[in-house]
Amino acid sequence: MLNNKLIAKVLGSLLILEAAFMLLCILTALYYRNSDFWPFSISFLITSITGMGMVRIGRDAPTVMTRRDSYTIVTLTWVTFSIFGSLPYLFGGFFGSAPIWDIQSHLSITTDAFFETMSGFTTTGASMLNDVEAQLDTHNAMLVWRSLSQWIGGLGIVFFTIAILPSMVGNSMKVFSAEATGPIRSKMHPRLSATAMRIWWVYIILTVGCGICYALAGMDGFSAINYAMTTTATGGFSIHNDSIGHFHSASIEYIAIIFQFLSGINFSMLFMVIAKRKLSSWKDFMRSEKSKWSEFFSNEETRFYILVVFACTIVITLILMLSNGYQMELAIRKSLFQVVSMMTTTGIFCDHVGMWPHITWMILAILMFIGACSGSTTGGFKSSRALMIIKVIRNEFVRMMHPRAVLPVKLNGKAIHSQMVNSLLAFFAIYILTSLGTIALMMAIDIDITNSAVISLSCMSNVGLPLNELGPDMTWSALPIWTKWVCTVLMLLGRLEIFNVLIIFTTLYWKDN
């Protein structure tokens, strides 16, 4: 059965880590001298004490981790992080307050706080705060916590821990597989912790570079830090109501496009491009650079990602110029921004997309579903899976004409095992069924078809679109309480890719053998 002591030890260590992040917000509150100090201080004490208690319980835990333990640890980690991460919202009263006997109000407040936190860690970006600038005015520490939660969740909570505390999870590939995104896990180093550290260095370099570029383009330091974290995490949380559009700056929009796009590429591929190599001469350097870029662009998923972004941008640009009268540069910038934002599942807007022709909505919805590359910070179905589905369909057409043909599905020149193809089709089926089931559920409580589809796709793909951008005016906070809980479950399913969570609720999972 489950190694309960080991699970307690790992969760306790992760809570101590979360408390350390809360400490950063306490320091932010002290720097800006605002009222966030006490909510974060209380949350820090509760989180750290609970974490140390759980570590003590698991101090003599055996270090052997089974696959069953890994799935349990990953799922419980995301739930536990979200529970304790919601404490600052509750103690700060950001979603209201109520008398102790008003159970219904307390349930609503707790639901909103948990929703906001889960949306942050899963990088969904859907918010219960209808007016961020008014509700979090002067609450700099809370703004940092929202951005930080997305940055932590961008590559994965457990993956972050493997990088800095490899011994805590036994350097287990099982844990990485339970949390990593996409059908194919790439390794750059025999030791998982070394791979994790290298990928996190790429993530940090992107974040710092993004922040510097934002500052040079005119953002103040506080805004640059927050937007850099949420841009590279492809999360979508913002410190302004109209996000990047608040600055009315073409240069800032182009910077956002570049770093969202880069964050949508497999981080192993990005590491390969920027990695340093020991070279003896200029010719070796040029040969090495040529080889790296050749390998980068020969990757089929990367090429598919670039091609889809390029093609959809051209189509929407032409539509905006012909239907809405946009000038060429404006049409290219706005269409490219929205295409990259949707495909990387960042979900932010820089224009009034609700005024665009409806065909553009359909294109953006398809991009939201597909998502960017595996091994990136993005959500969605993933480009590698979409590419494999296309190849499966193509093979079926060929097989109709040549019934005896042996047609393996290949990716990057390598045949994909039939077991992986079966897993792909099963994942596709359950992804579609879950999305359609959610749409039907939302429509059953009289939510219109447009918002029902947006809610389902936003949560499953971790996009977090503002509901009032398309269709009838609605906000996430206006949803019924039980619907919000359904949405939080969908966010978790989308982030951990459905099967890794649902496996816990099967009878097979709990059998001894």
Side-chain angles (χ1 to χ4, degrees):
M1 293 301 290
L2 292 175
N3 188 343
N4 293 321
K5 283 193 172 183
L6 177 61
I7 293 172
K9 178 183 177 182
V10 173
L11 290 179
S13 300
L14 285 166
L15 285 178
I16 293 173
L17 186 64
E18 185 173 22
F21 288 122
M22 290 180 181
L23 186 59
L24 291 176
C25 295
I26 293 174
L27 295 176
T28 303
L30 287 174
Y31 178 81
Y32 286 100
R33 299 180 181 180
N34 55 41
S35 58
D36 292 342
F37 174 80
W38 289 111
F40 277 102
S41 297
I42 298 170
S43 301
F44 169 79
L45 289 174
I46 293 174
T47 305
S48 56
I49 291 171
T50 305
M52 287 186 287
M54 294 179 73
V55 169
R56 183 172 178 80
I57 292 172
R59 65 185 182 279
D60 299 324
T63 57
V64 178
M65 182 181 295
T66 64
R67 189 170 295 277
R68 181 187 285 117
D69 295 329
S70 66
Y71 286 121
T72 305
I73 284 173
V74 168
T75 302
L76 287 181
T77 293
W78 286 79
V79 174
T80 304
F81 246 62
S82 296
I83 290 172
F84 284 86
S86 64
L87 293 180
Y89 292 108
L90 296 174
F91 291 124
F94 294 103
F95 295 106
S97 58
I100 194 170
W101 58 82
D102 192 346
I103 298 176
Q104 182 68 24
S105 296
H106 282 292
L107 177 60
S108 177
I109 293 168
T110 302
T111 299
D112 288 354
F114 185 78
F115 182 103
E116 191 81 8
T117 312
M118 180 65 78
S119 179
F121 283 121
T122 58
T123 69
T124 303
S127 181
M128 290 287 111
L129 300 170
N130 298 328
D131 190 344
V132 174
E133 294 180 46
Q135 291 173 268
L136 295 183
D137 184 36
T138 72
H139 294 285
N140 302 74
M142 181 52 69
L143 291 172
V144 170
W145 178 244
R146 293 173 81 242
S147 303
L148 190 60
S149 66
Q150 294 207 317
W151 192 78
I152 296 166
L155 286 181
I157 298 168
V158 178
F159 195 59
F160 175 81
T161 308
I162 291 172
I164 62 171
L165 299 172
S167 61
M168 194 187 71
V169 291
N171 205 16
S172 177
M173 179 59 75
K174 298 185 184 72
V175 179
F176 168 63
S177 297
E179 188 181 53
T181 60
I184 300 173
R185 323 295 194 217
S186 56
K187 289 184 65 178
M188 297 177 293
H189 194 279
R191 290 176 60 242
L192 178 58
S193 58
T195 297
M197 183 61 76
R198 291 176 180 186
I199 290 177
W200 268 96
W201 270 116
V202 174
Y203 193 36
I204 291 170
I205 290 171
L206 280 179
T207 306
V208 173
C210 184
I212 292 173
C213 290
Y214 276 147
L216 293 175
M219 279 193 190
D220 61 274
F222 184 78
S223 297
I225 292 171
N226 281 274
Y227 281 109
M229 287 193 285
T230 57
T231 299
T232 52
T234 59
F237 272 165
S238 171
I239 62 175
H240 300 102
N241 293 332
D242 45 1
S243 192
I244 294 293
H246 172 82
F247 299 96
H248 303 288
S249 169
S251 58
I252 288 177
E253 290 179 14
Y254 280 122
I255 291 168
I257 290 169
I258 292 169
F259 283 94
Q260 286 177 93
F261 179 82
L262 291 175
S263 297
I265 297 173
N266 188 308
F267 275 46
S268 299
M269 298 298 296
L270 287 179
F271 178 83
M272 178 196 70
V273 172
I274 67 174
K276 294 181 179 180
R277 299 181 183 180
K278 294 182 179 180
L279 305 170
S280 57
S281 67
W282 175 255
K283 288 183 178 180
D284 287 342
F285 172 78
M286 294 302 295
R287 192 180 300 114
S288 174
E289 288 298 305
K290 183 178 180 180
S291 174
K292 286 192 292 184
W293 285 107
S294 176
E295 186 177 349
F296 178 80
F297 286 109
S298 66
N299 183 275
E300 287 191 65
E301 184 184 33
T302 305
R303 290 208 312 266
F304 177 80
Y305 171 53
I306 295 172
L307 177 63
V308 171
V309 169
F310 181 74
C312 292
T313 299
I314 291 176
V315 172
I316 295 179
T317 297
L318 293 174
I319 292 173
L320 292 181
M321 291 175 65
L322 295 173
S323 299
N324 289 34
Y326 281 38
Q327 296 298 316
M328 180 176 288
E329 188 278 330
L330 182 63
I332 292 174
R333 172 160 45 92
K334 297 301 182 181
S335 59
L336 180 59
F337 187 101
Q338 292 310 148
V339 165
V340 172
S341 176
M342 293 301 107
M343 193 164 186
T344 59
T345 67
T346 309
I348 56 177
F349 291 93
C350 68
D351 198 20
H352 297 294
V353 179
M355 303 300 293
W356 289 10
H358 289 189
I359 184 61
T360 62
W361 300 4
M362 182 57 67
I363 295 172
L364 296 177
I366 293 172
L367 294 175
M368 287 166 56
F369 171 77
I370 293 175
C373 300
S374 304
S376 65
T377 60
T378 62
F381 188 67
K382 296 294 184 297
S383 291
S384 56
R385 288 196 180 98
L387 187 58
M388 289 164 67
I389 288 286
I390 292 171
K391 293 191 174 189
V392 168
I393 295 172
R394 183 195 62 189
N395 284 356
E396 285 304 308
F397 281 117
V398 176
R399 192 173 283 113
M400 290 176 68
M401 298 302 297
H402 306 280
R404 296 184 180 180
V406 178
L407 302 168
V409 176
K410 291 185 177 182
L411 196 64
N412 297 319
K414 297 180 180 179
I416 303 299
H417 196 278
S418 59
Q419 180 182 349
M420 184 175 290
V421 176
N422 292 336
S423 298
L424 165 70
L425 297 176
F427 182 82
F428 179 71
I430 197 167
Y431 199 102
I432 295 296
L433 290 173
T434 304
S435 298
L436 292 176
T438 305
I439 292 173
L441 191 64
M442 298 299 164
M443 292 180 66
I445 59 171
D446 294 329
I447 296 177
D448 62 277
I449 180 64
T450 302
N451 278 315
S452 295
V454 170
I455 290 169
S456 175
L457 196 54
S458 288
C459 294
M460 283 295 296
S461 298
N462 300 132
V463 182
L465 294 177
L467 298 184
N468 58 359
E469 185 65 34
L470 304 174
D473 190 27
M474 178 178 283
T475 61
W476 290 98
S477 61
L479 295 175
I481 291 178
W482 67 269
T483 308
K484 295 174 185 177
W485 284 106
V486 169
C487 290
T488 58
V489 173
L490 289 176
M491 292 177 200
L492 184 63
L493 288 174
R495 178 58 182 82
L496 298 183
E497 305 211 317
I498 306 177
F499 281 118
N500 296 335
V501 177
L502 295 185
I503 184 68
I504 296 175
F505 300 97
T506 63
T507 55
L508 178 65
Y509 182 83
W510 296 102
K511 288 183 178 179
D512 290 338
N513 296 323

